[in-house]
Structure formats: C-alpha cells, structure tokens
C-alpha cells in the first residue's frame, strides 16, 4: 500500500520490483486489501483556479448508529465535495 501512496499510478511491474515480488502477486495483494475495504482509490477533479479553491480532508467521528445520518447531512452541504465513509455504519456492527 505504501508504494501506491508514493506513486499511485505505478505499474504493477514497478510495484512488484520494489517489493521483490512478482507483479501479479503485487496486484493480487492490492485487490485483496481493496475487497476487504482496507484500501481504495479516490480521485478528485482538478479545478482550474487554485487561488479560489481550498481543499481539506476532515475526519468525522460519529456516535454509534449515527454515522449514516452524519454522512447524509455532510453530503447535503454544497461546500462538501465528497463524503467517504471508511467503516460500515455502527448499527451493522456487533457490540464490543
């Protein structure tokens, strides 16, 4: 995962070389992490005038059972470009 954080568009041949594994193995490991929800790719549009655009990443913690409502509220705000939940809604988890 770190190799793709450094160079997100790196071909699997280069990633495999850096990890000393076959490129197919590198790709398979990525897909396994992606399918498990441990890794993902997010793209944002490039805006033409960077002087008037401010981008930030904000992490929001929600009370158990409220994550979906919080995400909907944030998504309804026109200033919010993207909402990316990183875990399933708390209501679908087993109690700890």
């Amino acid at each position: 995962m770190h190799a793709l954080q450094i160079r997100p568009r790196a071909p699997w041949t280069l990633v495999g070389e850096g990890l000393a594994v076959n490129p197919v193995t590198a790709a398979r490991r990525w897909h396994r992490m992606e399918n498990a929800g441990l890794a993902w790719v997010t793209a944002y549009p490039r805006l033409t005038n960077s002087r008037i655009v401010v981008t930030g990443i904000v992490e929001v913690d929600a009370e158990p059972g409220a994550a979906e409502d919080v995400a909907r509220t944030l998504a309804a705000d026109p200033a919010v470009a993207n909402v990316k939940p990183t875990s399933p809604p708390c209501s679908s988890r087993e109690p700890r």
Side-chain angles (χ1 to χ4, degrees):
M1 191 177 323
H2 184 65
L4 294 172
Q5 288 173 325
I6 294 169
R7 191 165 170 201
R9 294 177 183 239
W12 293 119
T13 52
L14 184 60
V15 174
E17 183 181 313
L19 298 173
V21 298
N22 184 290
V24 174
T25 300
R28 188 176 58 242
R29 288 178 182 173
W30 169 261
H31 292 298
R32 192 169 49 228
M33 289 187 294
E34 189 176 37
N35 289 339
L38 301 172
W40 56 91
V41 175
T42 301
Y44 298 96
R46 178 178 287 198
L47 301 172
T48 56
N49 190 342
S50 62
R51 291 183 295 155
I52 61 169
V53 177
V54 176
T55 301
I57 297 174
V58 178
E59 180 178 325
V60 177
D61 293 327
E63 292 292 324
E68 200 168 317
D69 289 337
V70 170
R72 280 195 189 104
T73 300
L74 290 170
D77 186 327
V80 176
N82 193 330
V83 175
K84 210 55 165 155
T86 57
S87 63
C90 295
S91 60
S92 67
R93 291 188 190 166
E94 290 292 321
R96 292 183 186 193

